[in-house]
Amino acid sequence: MIQLRSVLVPADNSGAKRLRVIHVHGGSFRRFGYVGDMVTVVVDKADPNGYVKDSEKVKAVIVRTRKEIRRSDGTYVRFDDNAAVIIDPKSKDPLASRVFGPIAREVKDRGYAKIASLAPEVL
């Protein structure tokens, strides 16, 4: 459950250290974002030699949430942190070359196959 002003951990090597959500895509009254949803974030902290800079607005895909996700087979999956991967909004490919940590299967189902292929583990 990611909402306005939620702080996300970047799960890639784009150079961002902390991301803050400023918009959840999917309608004007959409309040929460879940795994696989696109959000607009601002880079709160960044590495000076990274792809992104401080205070830059970028699009990201939520790949992990602390709030559990119910799957159609009745199982639940939950992660230790809220994480996102910064993407190019036109091609939906990740901006960085590596993705860290496990990724939920819902990300691949939503059309972000490149993120899932870069991840070390898809749960």
Side-chain angles (χ1 to χ4, degrees):
M1 256 167 112
I2 305 300
Q3 62 184 353
L4 193 68
R5 295 187 180 166
S6 292
V7 175
L8 303 175
V9 175
D12 57 12
N13 65 340
S14 61
K17 301 277 189 206
R18 188 170 61 196
L19 305 170
R20 189 173 301 272
V21 176
I22 57 174
H23 182 72
V24 179
H25 292 270
S28 56
F29 293 105
R30 180 114 188 251
R31 184 177 289 177
F32 301 116
Y34 301 96
V35 171
D37 289 341
M38 186 188 296
V39 291
T40 301
V41 297
V42 65
V43 179
D44 262 358
K45 279 186 183 174
D47 188 38
N49 300 324
Y51 294 113
V52 294
K53 303 298 176 204
D54 261 350
S55 304
E56 186 177 345
K57 285 199 305 187
V58 291
K59 304 275 194 265
V61 175
I62 301 168
V63 294
R64 291 192 294 267
T65 58
R66 288 187 58 104
K67 179 67 178 170
E68 65 275 356
I69 308 155
R70 186 177 191 277
R71 293 188 169 157
S72 57
D73 62 353
T75 60
Y76 289 88
V77 64
R78 178 175 55 201
F79 297 97
D80 290 338
D81 60 350
N82 296 320
V85 173
I86 297 173
I87 61 165
D88 178 33
K90 292 179 183 145
S91 65
K92 292 191 174 183
D93 287 338
L95 205 62
S97 58
R98 293 180 67 197
V99 174
F100 304 117
I103 302 295
R105 190 182 328 128
E106 286 79 4
V107 174
K108 186 176 181 182
D109 297 341
R110 290 282 187 96
Y112 301 101
K114 180 77 173 179
I115 294 174
S117 68
L118 289 174
E121 186 178 11
V122 178
L123 297 178

